[in-house]
Amino acid sequence: MTHPASRNSLFQRLIQLAPELSPDCERVTLKAGLLPAELTEGDGCMYFPDESLLGLTASSTAQQGVSLALLGCHHVWSPQRARSIGLQAQVLLPGHALRVPEVLLRGAGPHLATWWLQEAASAQALLAQMAQMVFCVKHHQAEQSLASWLLLAQRHSQGVALHMPELPWRAWLGWTPEVWQRAWDTLESQQAVALVRSDEGGVIQLKDLTPLSSLACRCHQTHQLY
């Protein structure tokens, strides 16, 4: 099996360094919502989001908001390690990920040493996003923060139409309904976003990145994508 069309930069780098792993990679489907239990229970695999966008929150503070990292096509994610440090994942944009048994990665030899350093930097970047979001939401105007983090979500899912559920964002940002509504009304008045109603609830749709860029603070520009 080959994966020539993968958009995940860390996966591409891995296969360049260890092409023998390619036949053992599996393409799996991630549906919107909380990450399915069957993908997290002791399978010892690492996942490379290729089309999906995941939101990671600290389990103990998920209901309090402002503790969010976005994981998309430039990252690698290990469910077991995420759980061990108290993180939970929700699939914001459904799609596919590439699954690789971690035992194979660890047995691939010393030529993957540079790749493991990149993987560690990817994990550190996710933690930095969480810290940045706490600062952003506490110190910037609501419409600035919302615009900034929608732009970051778009960067993590380049080439994919961005339609994300509204309720997780409301919870993560931790604003009162009035603050959320004022921020949303500002973005909507600039023709930057739209809210599509469905039986499952509201879905955020990005319409134009230009007004988002003009409204946003610079927090979305501070993260290097690995």
Side-chain angles (χ1 to χ4, degrees), residues 190-220:
Q190 298 295 317
Q191 302 295 311
V193 296
L195 193 63
V196 181
R197 296 292 183 183
S198 68
D199 292 338
E200 291 76 27
V203 176
I204 297 172
Q205 176 184 354
L206 297 194
K207 296 177 65 176
D208 191 344
L209 299 183
T210 301
L212 278 181
S213 298
S214 65
L215 288 167
C217 56
R218 298 180 61 185
C219 290
H220 68 282

Side-chain angles (χ1 to χ4, degrees), residues 1-9 11-12 15 22 27 48-51 73 96 98 158 160:
M1 178 186 294
T2 59
H3 307 280
S6 175
R7 294 165 49 251
N8 190 296
S9 53
F11 181 81
Q12 291 175 343
I15 296 303
S22 186
R27 197 165 187 257
F48 299 80
D50 204 35
E51 301 166 356
C73 63
H96 293 90
L98 296 157
Q158 288 179 339
V160 177

Side-chain angles (χ1 to χ4, degrees), residues 2-71:
T2 59
H3 307 280
S6 175
R7 294 165 49 251
N8 190 296
S9 53
L10 278 173
F11 181 81
Q12 291 175 343
R13 178 63 173 157
L14 174 66
I15 296 303
Q16 288 173 359
L17 292 171
E20 69 274 12
L21 294 178
S22 186
D24 297 298
C25 300
E26 180 185 3
R27 197 165 187 257
V28 296
T29 300
L30 299 181
K31 296 181 179 180
L34 289 175
L35 200 76
E38 64 266 20
L39 294 182
T40 63
E41 293 298 332
D43 59 1
C45 289
M46 298 179 75
Y47 293 78
F48 299 80
D50 204 35
E51 301 166 356
S52 299
L53 177 72
L54 279 67
L56 300 183
T57 60
S59 300
S60 60
T61 60
Q63 300 305 313
Q64 300 173 23
V66 299
S67 184
L68 167 68
L70 295 174
L71 187 153

